[in-house]
Structures are given as C-alpha cells and as structure tokens.
Amino acid sequence: MWRDHLTEIIIFTLLFLLVSVMGFVAARWRAPRDMAHLDEWGLGGRNFGGWITWFLVGGDLYTAYTFVAVPALVFGAGAMGFFAVPYTIVIYPLVFLVLCRLWSVSHRHGFVTPADFVRSRFDSPVLALLVAITGIVATMPYIALQLVGIEAVLKAMGVTGESTLARHLPIIVAFAILAAYTYQSGLRAPALIAFVKDTLIYIVILVAVLYLPYKLGGWGEIFGAADAKFDASPSPGDGVLLNANNQLQYVTLAFGSALALFLYPHSITGVLASRNRDVIKRNMSALPAYSLLLGLIALLGYMAIAADVKPLPGASEGTVDNNTIVPLLFDQQFPSWFTGVAYAAIGIGALVPAAIMSIAAANLFTRNIYKEYLRRDATPAQEANVSKITSLVVKIGAVACIVFLDPQFSIDLQLIGGVIILQTLPAVALGLYTRWFHRGALIAGWAAGMGLGMWMLYQIASPTRKHFAGSAFPLEKFGFDTPKTIYVGIVAVLVNLLVAAILTLILRAVKVREGVDGTTSDDYFADEGDPRVTPGDRQDADAAPEPVA
C-alpha cells in the first residue's frame, strides 16, 4: 500500500522535481549560441569538457535498467549475470581506438550521426539509410527498458493501480516532463542531470556494499546462501560459478556486447559532444571506474538471496518480476529516507539515458531520412525543429511499448537490439580504418547478417515463448552434438563480414563503381581548432579519391 511508503514517495518526488527543474534550466547552461541548430540542441555545442563528458557518457551507458536488471539476472541465473562486468572493461580500449577517429572526422565535416560518416565515406545514401534505420530500431526498445526500472520502483512503493491507465499514469507523467525539458534543452539537459544521477548512484551503492554485508552476516553468508539456492533449484544452472555449457555463451555475449555498446547512436552522441580528442582519451581511461561500480551493483543480486527477498508478482499470471528485487532489498534493509534516495537514484537513472537515446534517434531520422530523402534544402533551424518533434514521437513510442506489451517482451527486444546494431560494425567501426570494403558488399553483408541473426533469434525458445526468447543460440541447431549455446550477435556479424569480404573481391573483379571517398587521411586525426571542411572544398565526383589507411 502506498501509504506505508509515504516517506520514500516524498523523497523520490522531491528529487525528481529537482532534476526536472535542472532540465529546463539547462537550456541556458554554457551559453548556447543558437538552440535552433543540431550542433547545439543535439550535441550540446560540441564543447563538453572532461568532467561533463565523463558523467554524460557514464550516465548514458549505466542506466536504470542496469541498476535493476543486472542484479535481477544474478539473483535468478547466478554467474551468467556477471557478463556485464568484463564487457564494460573490454569496451574502453576498443573505443579508444575507434571513437577518437570518429570524433575527428565528424568534427572536420560537421557529422552529427554515424550514418553521416558512412554517407560521406562510402558515397552511398542507401548504406547510410540502412545504418540510420538500424540505429533507430535498435534504440527504441532500449528507451522502453528505462521505464522498466522506474516501474520496478513504483511497484515497490505501492504506486500501482488496477486499470492499465492507473498503473502506468506515473510513468506517463514522468516521461511527459522528460519530453518537455528535452524538447527545450536538448543534450544539455541529460548532461546537467547526469551529475546528480551518478552522484546518487555512487552514494547508494557504496553504502549498500559496506552496510548490507555487515547486516547479513558477511560475504561468506551471502555467497553461501546463493550457493544453497542454486544447488536446490529443480533446473540447475550456473550457480555462483559458470558451468561448462555456458562458458562459450558467456565469452561471446561479453565480447559481442562490448562491440555493440558503442555502436549504439546514443553512445556515439555522447562522444561527439566532447570538446576534443584529449577529452575522449581521458574518459576512456577513467570510465572503467563505472565497471567497478557495476560489479558492486551485480552483487546486490546475491545479497537479495541472503536477505530472502521475494520478488513481486509479474505482469502475467503465475510469474514473478525479478526486476523488483533491488527496490525491495533497499525497502527491507534500510530506513525509509535512505530507501527514498535509492529509489530516486534508480528513477533519475532512467531519465538521463532515455533523453540521450531519444535525441540520438531523432538526429538519425532528421539527418539521414528527412534531410536526405524528404527535404534536401532543409535549413539548420528546420533540422533542429524536426529533431525535437521526432524525439517526442520516440518517447511516446517507448511509453507505448511498456503500456501495451509485456515488459519481458521488451527485455527480449533489447537483446535483439544488440544483435541488430552489431550489423553496422563493418561500415561504421571498420570504415574508420579502411575503405577496402565495397559499398555494395557492405549492403549485402548487412542483409546477410541481419537475416541470419533474425532467423537464429526466431529459433530460440523458452518455457513461456516459442520464438525470440533471448539471444543464446543452441549449437545443436547447427548440427553440433553439444548442449552449449553461443551469442547470436557474434555469429551474425562474422557472417556479415565474410559476405562483405567475398563480395568486395567479386565486385572489384567486375569493376563495379565504388563511389568517391569524401574524407581524407588527415580528417581522422583532426583536433579542436582545426578548420572545418565544407562540401565545396572536396573534390568533385569524378576525381580520383585520395587513399586512406
């Protein structure tokens, strides 16, 4: 009953209102030159320094869903839930190699999206369109999943209703406020709010990992309780250690997720808003601090087992919602005022990434669909206006996913999203280093990887769903005599690369035109203060392209 959680509700509401005010004030933060321009509205003026970028990118990647879903997976499945820790460690060296180059070429040419880069690099509007659509489709369920985190908190506070509207009204109101200040302030809003969000999360988690083991009898008791639970499970899985059948899945899921994470448009948006290359380099060195935090967050799953937390009922009859275990753990083990702070950390943790994701998806639509195919002569002000409206539509779509779909299905959609976004790796990530691939071969590789990935995902079943029930593909369906599984995304992107490589050789052999590279080698090392390039400065379409390493 909500009256039993009045203190938590008051603190949650006050902190939520605080960051909402900050979101509106952000429109005047750091003296924007002209908010009617995508550089200002969608990229914060491309002038964020080290601290702002650190909080923005960290707040972008470590979401409310991470806060509730990673411990929930550890609570329900054991060691497999820790896959998120190595993948967030592996990712930063990869990003160091890739996104510094993307920042430079985007700074030089004024690119706002990864599809802008692909359009210029491979002289292919079709390939750029595929990258844009892929980014939008992969991002939509990710936004919806931020609502899962807020919904878990609202359930724990008893703020639910019988009807569909009453149950979801708080989420609708929260996202309406988010939509309003994002529309006004653009990327500046989540950048400013990220300071509050990350500070709250650090305080809450550090207090939890110091206090809860003391209260629950120590780490030995916590791991012992987890081990006993998994040993007694009627369908034994990993337990506190991986079993032999899940090790391949663990490795491929961690590596595939690392490759996918910084291909997401919202991750790239946070990086492109940086002031210079040094900001990115320093952040790639400092962001692993979030990985330490993530490991601590994951341990909350074992603490919930030791505390004998019982998840609340799920949306479907006879199911439970494991996403509620972290809110319930705080509710049972901490005083009401601190629980309210923890709930606010989770709720605000949904707003920052949701805002960045909606902005990134809107920028893709505006630059690579609206401007490319609907209105080529669109002015910067018109682009900014279309992007603002599109960001509202994206948020409405995310809310609709939660209201009308089973939340578990939204989670499965997010897993599918990782497989989808991986298919842009050859064009975006490898394209930053080489133009060896033919543009036609990249399109064919994308189609092959996407087709195989969707077929594999369709074959994955669970006790509650016949198809699209996760991303762990049984190798026995490929004819192997083993119960092991593998992450779908890795297989799909390898096929993508293979098709692209073979077809490149064929298309080169028959001398199919490759188009003109709109970039030069020094573009990939440009830094703050280097002059921008306008389309008129480039060679015409019949000139020989300058080779790029």
Side-chain angles (χ1 to χ4, degrees), residues 197-503:
K197 174 248 186 187
D198 289 354
T199 301
L200 287 176
I201 288 181
Y202 266 100
I203 291 172
V204 168
I205 294 304
L206 290 177
V207 169
V209 297
L210 291 174
Y211 175 72
L212 287 177
Y214 165 77
K215 189 171 183 180
L216 296 173
W219 288 107
E221 289 294 325
I222 291 171
F223 281 97
D227 207 19
K229 174 196 171 180
F230 294 122
D231 284 345
S233 173
S235 54
D238 286 329
V240 295
L241 296 175
L242 285 172
N243 64 46
N245 292 334
N246 280 347
Q247 290 173 7
L248 177 63
Q249 170 69 14
Y250 184 93
V251 171
T252 54
L253 179 59
F255 185 62
S257 299
L259 292 177
L261 187 56
F262 266 91
L263 290 171
Y264 275 104
H266 58 276
S267 303
I268 292 174
T269 296
V271 171
L272 294 187
S274 304
R275 179 184 301 147
N276 53 42
R277 287 169 64 98
D278 283 343
V279 167
I280 301 171
K281 292 176 182 178
R282 289 197 301 270
N283 269 273
M284 292 311 109
S285 300
L287 278 169
Y290 278 97
S291 300
L292 171 63
L293 186 68
L294 182 59
L296 300 177
I297 290 173
L299 289 172
L300 293 175
Y302 288 160
M303 295 180 198
I305 295 173
D308 197 28
V309 172
K310 304 298 182 187
L312 293 175
S316 304
E317 187 176 351
T319 63
V320 295
D321 184 2
N322 279 347
N323 289 319
T324 60
I325 62 137
V326 169
L328 291 174
L329 175 65
F330 280 97
D331 184 51
Q332 294 176 13
Q333 302 295 325
F334 286 97
S336 297
W337 68 268
F338 188 81
T339 302
V341 173
Y343 287 173
I346 298 173
I348 296 169
L351 302 182
V352 172
I356 303 171
M357 290 169 190
S358 65
I359 290 169
N363 289 344
L364 280 167
F365 174 82
T366 301
R367 290 297 293 262
N368 307 114
I369 298 177
Y370 174 77
K371 187 175 176 67
E372 181 75 39
Y373 293 97
L374 302 177
R375 188 162 187 176
R376 287 181 175 271
D377 60 346
T379 64
Q382 289 170 333
E383 286 183 9
N385 191 51
V386 169
S387 202
K388 290 178 180 180
I389 295 171
T390 305
S391 74
L392 297 179
V393 174
V394 168
K395 293 184 187 73
I396 293 171
V399 172
C401 285
I402 293 298
V403 172
F404 298 111
L405 295 178
D406 181 342
Q408 181 57 46
F409 185 60
S410 296
I411 294 170
D412 292 337
L413 282 178
Q414 194 274 331
L415 294 172
I416 295 170
V419 176
I420 291 173
I421 200 66
L422 261 177
Q423 306 318 309
T424 65
L425 184 144
V428 177
L430 297 185
L432 289 164
Y433 275 89
T434 179
R435 199 177 181 271
W436 180 81
F437 290 104
H438 192 286
R439 58 185 179 179
L442 286 171
I443 293 171
W446 176 92
M450 198 68 72
L452 177 64
M454 292 302 102
W455 176 83
M456 292 173 69
L457 291 166
Y458 182 81
Q459 301 298 317
I460 298 173
S462 73
T464 58
R465 185 171 295 119
K466 292 183 178 179
H467 307 289
F468 297 106
S471 59
F473 186 80
L475 287 177
E476 61 186 15
K477 291 184 178 293
F478 280 148
F480 294 98
D481 184 18
T482 176
K484 294 182 179 180
T485 58
I486 190 169
Y487 177 51
V488 171
I490 285 290
V491 179
V493 78
L494 288 176
V495 170
N496 181 339
L497 287 167
L498 182 62
V499 170
I502 293 173
L503 199 56

Side-chain angles (χ1 to χ4, degrees), residues 62 66 70 74 79-92 250 253-255 257-258 288 290-299:
Y62 296 87
T66 302
V70 171
V74 171
M80 179 56 73
F82 285 95
F83 85 93
V85 178
Y87 104 64
T88 56
I89 295 172
V90 168
I91 189 174
Y92 297 113
Y250 184 93
L253 179 59
F255 185 62
S257 299
Y290 278 97
S291 300
L292 171 63
L293 186 68
L294 182 59
L296 300 177
I297 290 173
L299 289 172

